[in-house]
Amino acid sequence: MQKTEPVPGRKAAGGAQSQRYALLSAMFLMSMAAVGPGFITQTATFTVKLGAAFAFAIVVSILIDFVVQANVWRIVAVTRMRAPAIANAAIPGSGYLLAILVIIGGLFFNVGNIGGAGLGLNAMVDLDPKIGGAAAALAAIGIFLSRRAGVAMDRVVFVAAFVKLALILYATVVSGPPVAEAFHQTFLPSTIDFATITTIVGGTVGGYITYAGAHRLLDKGTAGVENISAINRAALSGIAITGVLRYILFLAVLGVVASGVVIDLSGKGANPAGQAFHAAAGDIGFRLFGAVFLASAMTSIIGAAYTSVSFLTAFRPEISERQRNLATVAFICISLVAYVIITTPPAAMLVFVGGLNGLVLPIGLSMLLFAAWKRADLMNGYQYPRWLLVLGALVCCLTWYMAYKSIGPIFALLGL
């Protein structure tokens, strides 16, 4: 069996200020990855199809997110090991499978993220989407080539988070959504669609997103049983941020749909989220959509590349930080080439990759929960809360069921 070692080269960050910065970095990386261009496009697409009933899917995704992230952050922090190492320790060889699935899913996601950046720049300054996507990818590459790549990444994520929140709030107020109807259908939906729920779960907590914040904690040196309370608070705070962003974005699109505006979902260049912002606030709204999409795409390009490459440690545990940054640059370059070659419209790709990562979610979650249940030796003496494991097992079974029910409709999104 492969020898599994804690993440090397870093001790726990000294001082309360360092710990707070590490927790904020992990929290924002996870939450911004969970509300990227894929989620924005999925929200617009499914709100058009389901109307106020989509609120139920949003809430289900938030509840699943709470349980998944609370378990994953805790397991990674307590073991001081990345997810593939934990999986290999629990079930020999399974970590390699998980790494391959997350890297492939992250690659697909990043193709969609680069496409999202192209759509955003097109809306902002009428730049050709292919050129805009390439420009955003090159900007992300510049971040990882810098000498202080980690600091640069954190600052981009922090700024983009506040820009995104402010602009989405503005769009929500302007669109005037039927809040009472949305609240009613949050708990008593007129329609329940498993493929929709699986896709939205995949776009917010599936694939690489599951591990983005937890792996960032390890790289910041903030892990271990002694930090578990602060880590748990950060995880829950990050999920709360994503939950609020998801719901107000849904309300913004719902206000447009409820007003009777027809949003095109079928055209080759269909951009449902852009159409919704344009209907809500005119030309200014469309420019604002571009800014939201660009901010979302940049954080997601960074998060998808960074987290996906962190899974390379399954094959090369001793990889240095500099080598990982170079591998991340290569990952973004491959994503960019794929984006240029693939003819699938960016909006369709963004919806599909959410569903794809929703199919990956139960596989990795099963591996980590098995380690928490059966490998007490990995827990460094920590008594894992049984109630949290039970909730995790129930959510895991639910995600397996949703994946089974949804695999056909998800691949049908690409005509496969």
Side-chain angles (χ1 to χ4, degrees):
M1 184 175 69
Q2 179 193 20
K3 184 178 180 182
T4 55
E5 298 288 345
V7 176
R10 290 180 183 260
K11 295 182 180 180
Q17 185 175 359
S18 296
Q19 185 189 71
R20 280 196 299 271
Y21 182 81
L23 293 171
L24 281 172
S25 174
M27 182 178 77
F28 274 94
L29 183 65
M30 179 267 287
S31 59
M32 290 305 100
V35 192
F39 177 79
I40 294 172
T41 302
Q42 293 158 16
T43 297
T45 300
F46 294 130
T47 302
V48 171
K49 291 182 177 180
L50 301 177
F54 183 57
F56 177 77
I58 295 282
V59 170
V60 170
S61 76
I62 293 170
L63 295 176
I64 291 174
D65 203 349
F66 266 104
V67 176
V68 171
Q69 294 290 8
N71 274 288
V72 170
W73 280 47
R74 192 178 295 252
I75 293 168
V76 169
V78 169
T79 60
R80 294 180 181 270
M81 298 160 63
R82 293 189 180 92
I86 298 170
N88 273 335
I91 308 171
S94 64
Y96 302 123
L97 172 63
L98 178 61
I100 291 170
L101 290 174
V102 170
I103 291 170
I104 291 174
L107 182 63
F108 272 98
F109 224 119
N110 233 22
V111 174
N113 290 334
I114 293 172
L119 288 177
L121 281 169
N122 175 258
M124 285 180 67
V125 295
D126 298 320
L127 188 65
D128 181 274
K130 292 290 185 181
I131 297 175
L138 291 175
I141 287 171
I143 290 171
F144 286 103
L145 287 177
S146 68
R147 291 188 176 183
R148 302 186 68 193
V151 174
M153 180 175 74
D154 291 338
R155 288 177 178 171
V156 170
V157 172
F158 290 162
V159 172
F162 289 106
V163 169
K164 189 189 305 185
L165 175 59
L167 296 180
I168 292 175
L169 274 172
Y170 171 78
T172 303
V173 172
V174 172
S175 71
V179 176
E181 175 65 12
F183 184 77
H184 172 75
Q185 298 235 25
T186 297
F187 304 101
L188 295 171
S190 58
T191 304
I192 297 177
D193 188 316
F194 281 110
T196 295
I197 296 174
T198 303
T199 299
I200 209 72
V201 167
T204 55
V205 73
Y208 81 91
I209 301 171
T210 309
Y211 314 99
H215 282 193
R216 188 63 179 151
L217 278 180
L218 292 186
D219 289 338
K220 284 290 187 180
T222 301
V225 175
E226 67 276 12
N227 293 312
I228 198 64
S229 296
I231 289 168
N232 190 52
R233 286 195 300 272
L236 296 180
S237 299
I239 298 163
I241 291 171
T242 65
V244 170
L245 274 171
R246 292 175 201 174
Y247 204 85
I248 62 174
L249 176 64
F250 154 72
L251 289 176
V253 179
L254 181 63
V256 172
V257 173
S259 71
V261 172
V262 177
I263 295 179
D264 174 32
L265 300 179
S266 59
K268 183 175 178 59
N271 183 355
Q275 294 173 60
F277 273 73
H278 188 271
D283 290 339
I284 293 177
F286 192 60
R287 305 297 179 188
L288 291 179
F289 154 77
V292 170
F293 228 54
L294 180 61
S296 299
M298 286 302 300
T299 55
S300 293
I301 291 170
I302 291 168
Y306 166 83
T307 309
S308 298
V309 169
S310 74
F311 276 76
L312 289 178
T313 56
F315 307 99
R316 190 177 177 185
E318 73 282 2
I319 189 171
S320 69
E321 183 174 355
R322 179 61 178 168
Q323 290 171 329
R324 278 183 55 194
N325 286 340
L326 292 175
T328 305
V329 168
F331 185 89
I332 297 173
C333 288
I334 294 170
S335 304
L336 176 57
V337 171
Y339 167 65
V340 172
I341 293 173
I342 292 175
T343 58
T344 301
M349 176 64 77
L350 287 167
V351 176
F352 166 73
V353 294
L356 179 66
N357 281 281
L359 302 179
V360 174
L361 172 61
I363 298 173
L365 184 59
S366 297
M367 295 173 183
L368 266 65
L369 289 175
F370 180 81
W373 274 105
K374 295 297 184 181
R375 292 297 304 273
D377 56 307
L378 299 176
M379 296 292 115
N380 296 313
Y382 177 69
Q383 294 295 317
Y384 204 96
R386 287 291 162 178
W387 64 268
L388 187 56
L389 276 178
V390 170
L391 282 178
L394 292 173
V395 165
C396 190
C397 291
L398 176 61
T399 57
W400 274 113
Y401 176 74
M402 290 193 306
Y404 166 74
K405 295 288 289 184
S406 307
I407 187 167
I410 285 169
F411 279 93
L413 290 169
L414 289 185
L416 301 176

